[in-house]
Amino acid sequence: MPLSAPVPAPVRAHAVDAHYDLIILGSGSGNSIPGPELEDRSIAIVEKGSFGGTCLNVGCIPTKMYVYAADVALATEQAGRLGLDARVHGVDWQGIVSRVFAQRIDPIAAGGEAYRRGPETPNIDVYDQHAVFVGERTLRTGQGSEQKTISADQIVIAAGSRPVIPEAIAASGVRYHTNEDIMRLPELPRSLVIVGAGFIAMEFAHVFEALGTKVSIIARSSLLRPLDADLHAPFNRLAAERFTVVAGRDVIGADQDGDGISVRLDDGSSVNGEALLVATGRAPNGDQLDLDAAGIATTPDGRVEVDRFGRSTSAPGVWALGDVSSPFMLKHVANAEMRAVRHNLLHPDDLRPMPHEHVPSAVFTHPQIATVGMTEQQARAAGHDVTTKLQKYGDVAYGWAMEDTTGLVKLIADRPTGRLLGAHFMGPQASTLIQQLITVMAFDLDVREVATQQYWIHPALPEVTENALLGLDFS
Ligand SMILES: Cc1cc2nc3c(=O)[nH]c(=O)nc-3n(C[C@H](O)[C@H](O)[C@H](O)COP(=O)(O)OP(=O)(O)OC[C@H]3O[C@@H](n4cnc5c(N)ncnc54)[C@H](O)[C@@H]3O)c2cc1C
């Protein structure tokens, strides 16, 4: 049975081995599209790598499993301030790698693929070769060594993104790592040079330093540049206490010798380490799909161009979601886009827009960071009459319990309306604490009432949020 979305007459410039109702290119967020509502449709899933995509295999989930170990190690080393004599006596790196991958991630990826290939989803075929478009809604891919050309009434491109490698490093020929392999190193390196200053760089810097590696970071400007200025400055100060930070420099080359890697900078200096991690941003994978062959337009920054419902702006019957097309490279956004596209495939007369309002994000470094909405600088530039509050964790009772001296909450609200414009947390449990304020923004609540019309458990950590809200001046 065809999908109900209207489909143009198929163009058959190529001999086609199989035709489907739906092809899904990429098994990250795309793999969640097939469900009970699509049981009667013929579906192909094309995945050249590990099933489950970036988040499961080399992104959000394994990194956070390492971050948790790092958090515990750091808390142990800092336990003296609580009156505890505790130390980390050793790090079983191979044990950590095995806990994350052999025991958790790899079986899930293998199980996900087996499920899609197995008898429980008889309407789904899986192809495992790199796919490219060879015509309108037609792909060349394959299974094993056998090449196939497949077409469909509808195609969802969910092909994700990949690490960008600066030319100076790529051309140098040195051995470097990215998020795709750094977590499976055979041994914990004694020292690590990280090129990059975004969230991936900061998470790995925290992980490796907490586990005992000496970390040097090379940043083109500063660390986590887009943060609100009131978090940006203290974060950079704290980072400099743990890492060797070389800020404001560009990499011009790299050399390798027996002892490791030497990264050359534009001021003539160099930074050395046993291993090199490149975390300088990610590029959407559309440029590897021969999109022109199918008339699929891209944005100037290389994303598959879609309208607000996820439809290609140029190729009927083609949809895109997640990192390959989204302005947000975040898993919760890719998942939300997937739900919108799935709905739109099934209900073409009742299209749902991609949900791009109040998108939060977290950086699982140390201190942890979470933000939603505008920075103060953005709110003022947008012309809002703002009231702001900077609240220290250390001013509430649970902050005393933790002996926290660096945690901060920054709130920005619209003075005339009482609406929250932005919330920024830096400190323990930031990614959990912020959820209340995501709710405030999603449901358009008046923060004057949010502060006073509910109980705040005493003496729990959310009292830091309560105090921040109460500190906003609406007079
Ligand atoms: C280190 C790291 C940490 C992260 N941490 C977080 C976090 O904490 N929170 C968060 O929200 N986000 C995080 N992200 C971002 C998040 O992982 C991505 O936004 C999300 O996984 C994107 O999902 P997707 O479905 O768009 O793409 P993917 O999950 O990347 O899926 C795309 C799939 O398509 C396949 N593919 C691509 N091209 C082809 C082709 N031509 N033929 C066949 N198959 C193809 C790929 O192999 C891949 O499996 C992190 C990312 C990284 C790298």
Side-chain angles (χ1 to χ4, degrees):
M1 185 197 294
L3 283 164
S4 45
V7 177
V11 176
R12 292 285 149 71
H14 295 262
V16 166
D17 296 302
H19 183 82
Y20 294 89
D21 294 328
L22 174 64
I23 295 175
I24 299 164
L25 206 180
S27 74
S29 315
N31 186 43
S32 299
I33 293 177
E37 321 87 316
L38 288 161
E39 256 172 12
D40 56 355
R41 320 294 164 88
S42 62
I43 299 174
I45 298 178
V46 189
E47 174 53 64
K48 66 175 176 180
S50 298
F51 242 67
T54 301
C55 176
L56 175 66
N57 292 291
V58 291
C60 338
I61 297 175
T63 51
K64 266 84 262 183
M65 294 179 77
Y66 282 82
V67 164
Y68 190 77
D71 287 349
V72 172
L74 197 61
T76 306
E77 288 297 329
Q78 294 177 346
R81 66 186 175 193
L82 306 178
L84 302 174
D85 181 10
R87 298 241 60 161
V88 175
H89 293 291
V91 172
D92 175 9
W93 172 256
Q94 271 312 328
I96 296 176
V97 175
S98 166
R99 175 180 83 91
V100 173
F101 289 108
Q103 293 169 38
R104 182 71 69 173
I105 301 296
D106 296 346
I108 297 173
E113 178 167 359
Y115 175 74
R116 288 306 188 202
R117 289 184 182 277
E120 284 162 288
T121 56
N123 59 321
I124 297 179
D125 288 339
V126 175
Y127 295 87
D128 63 9
Q129 280 183 17
H130 181 95
V132 291
F133 282 90
V134 291
E136 202 175 322
R137 284 175 285 114
T138 307
L139 291 170
R140 188 182 320 116
T141 175
Q143 170 55 44
S145 56
E146 211 180 335
Q147 206 165 64
K148 299 269 186 197
T149 301
I150 58 174
S151 61
D153 292 350
Q154 310 278 339
I155 295 190
V156 177
I157 304 172
S161 61
R162 63 183 185 280
V164 171
I165 310 301
E167 186 50 32
I169 292 174
S172 72
V174 301
R175 172 96 176 94
Y176 62 83
H177 302 279
T178 68
N179 67 290
E180 305 200 341
D181 61 350
I182 189 84
M183 289 181 275
R184 293 185 191 247
L185 286 179
E187 282 169 23
L188 188 63
R190 284 187 304 277
S191 57
L192 178 67
V193 179
I194 300 179
V195 182
F199 84 91
I200 295 172
M202 290 308 103
E203 292 186 357
F204 281 123
H206 166 48
V207 165
F208 281 97
E209 200 275 345
L211 297 182
T213 297
K214 181 179 169 312
V215 171
S216 306
I217 302 171
I218 301 168
R220 193 175 254 171
S221 62
S222 56
L223 309 181
L224 298 178
R225 189 82 205 90
L227 285 181
D228 185 282
D230 280 324
L231 273 67
H232 178 261
F235 179 79
N236 274 264
R237 238 184 353 260
L238 290 167
E241 290 173 10
R242 287 180 72 196
F243 318 122
T244 301
V245 180
V246 183
R249 297 267 69 96
D250 250 331
V251 172
I252 58 163
D255 305 296
Q256 184 148 19
D257 62 26
D259 295 334
I261 313 276
S262 176
V263 180
R264 281 180 278 118
L265 305 181
D266 56 356
D267 64 349
S269 67
S270 57
V271 181
N272 305 316
E274 188 179 311
L276 170 63
L277 170 67
V278 180
T280 46
R282 297 182 62 83
N285 282 331
D287 59 348
Q288 301 185 334
L289 301 177
D290 289 355
L291 296 171
D292 286 349
I296 299 168
T298 53
T299 61
D301 58 351
R303 290 172 290 125
V304 173
E305 189 176 76
V306 291
D307 67 10
R308 65 195 190 100
F309 302 113
R311 295 176 295 196
S312 160
T313 54
S314 59
V318 175
W319 307 72
L321 61 87
D323 284 11
V324 78
S325 54
S326 180
F328 303 95
M329 284 189 176
L330 291 165
K331 180 59 174 172
H332 41 274
V333 178
N335 282 342
E337 293 186 354
M338 179 278 299
R339 289 190 289 272
V341 167
R342 181 175 56 197
H343 172 92
N344 295 343
L345 282 165
L346 288 161
H347 307 283
D349 299 325
D350 170 34
L351 295 179
R352 280 189 194 155
M354 307 288 228
H356 287 165
E357 289 281 296
H358 313 311
V359 174
S361 63
V363 188
F364 295 82
T365 182
H366 189 90
Q368 202 178 94
I369 290 169
T371 86
V372 61
M374 288 185 261
T375 62
E376 179 179 350
Q377 299 73 43
Q378 289 167 335
R380 290 193 189 281
H384 288 282
D385 173 8
V386 303
T387 168
T388 68
K389 174 67 184 175
L390 197 58
Q391 175 71 47
K392 291 183 183 157
Y393 279 49
D395 288 342
V396 300
Y398 209 85
W400 306 343
M402 294 186 296
E403 290 298 334
D404 185 275
T405 55
T406 55
L408 287 173
V409 183
K410 167 94 180 260
L411 300 185
I412 302 113
D414 188 55
R415 193 188 294 270
T417 63
R419 265 31 192 201
L420 190 62
L421 298 171
H424 310 273
F425 287 73
M426 183 176 84
Q429 301 299 332
S431 59
T432 304
L433 289 175
I434 203 168
Q435 194 64 44
Q436 271 187 309
L437 297 179
I438 298 168
T439 306
V440 167
M441 292 185 85
F443 291 90
D444 199 24
L445 303 177
D446 185 327
V447 291
R448 291 166 291 200
E449 292 174 1
V450 172
T452 55
Q453 303 291 307
Q454 64 178 324
Y455 273 113
W456 297 83
I457 292 174
H458 180 72
L461 196 50
E463 282 186 338
V464 71
T465 308
E466 178 193 21
N467 282 8
L469 288 167
L470 290 171
L472 291 166
D473 178 7
F474 292 99
S475 58

